[in-house]
Amino acid sequence: MAKISDEMIQEINALAHKSKTVGLTEEEKKRQQELRQEYLRIFRSGFKQQLQSIKVVDEKGNDVTPRKLKKAKKMN
């Protein structure tokens, strides 16, 4: 799984700041959009992994994890 790097965050923030102050060139706007899409892809992937690692248990200790989630775990 890819990780969101500090450099990526810094570049995203720098472009956002520049956008708010002096504006971006067309090339910078394109780069900003690419970075945002990559950030979202990595974030969603990590979030999906977190959700798939969840086990739902009722008050009596019975596993009540939804079938859909169990199936997704088996597929990975």
Side-chain angles (χ1 to χ4, degrees):
M1 178 179 82
K3 185 179 180 213
I4 299 170
S5 69
D6 291 335
E7 292 81 20
M8 181 186 282
I9 300 283
Q10 288 174 355
E11 189 175 359
I12 289 169
N13 289 339
L15 288 169
H17 178 72
K18 186 175 179 185
S19 174
K20 292 176 184 175
T21 56
V22 294
L24 299 175
T25 65
E26 287 304 314
E27 188 175 302
E28 289 170 329
K29 288 177 185 178
K30 183 179 178 185
R31 178 66 179 150
Q32 184 182 42
Q33 192 59 30
E34 289 170 358
L35 286 168
R36 285 178 175 167
Q37 292 305 312
E38 181 66 9
Y39 176 90
L40 288 173
R41 185 190 66 74
I42 294 169
F43 177 85
R44 288 176 180 140
S45 173
F47 190 72
K48 184 177 179 181
Q49 274 190 328
Q50 278 186 311
L51 287 176
Q52 289 178 348
S53 69
I54 292 175
K55 179 178 181 180
V56 183
V57 180
D58 68 9
E59 312 83 41
K60 297 177 185 177
N62 299 317
D63 183 0
V64 292
T65 305
R67 286 188 189 118
K68 185 176 181 181
L69 182 55
K70 287 181 183 178
K71 185 178 179 181
K73 285 181 188 180
K74 287 181 184 179
M75 292 180 81
N76 290 331

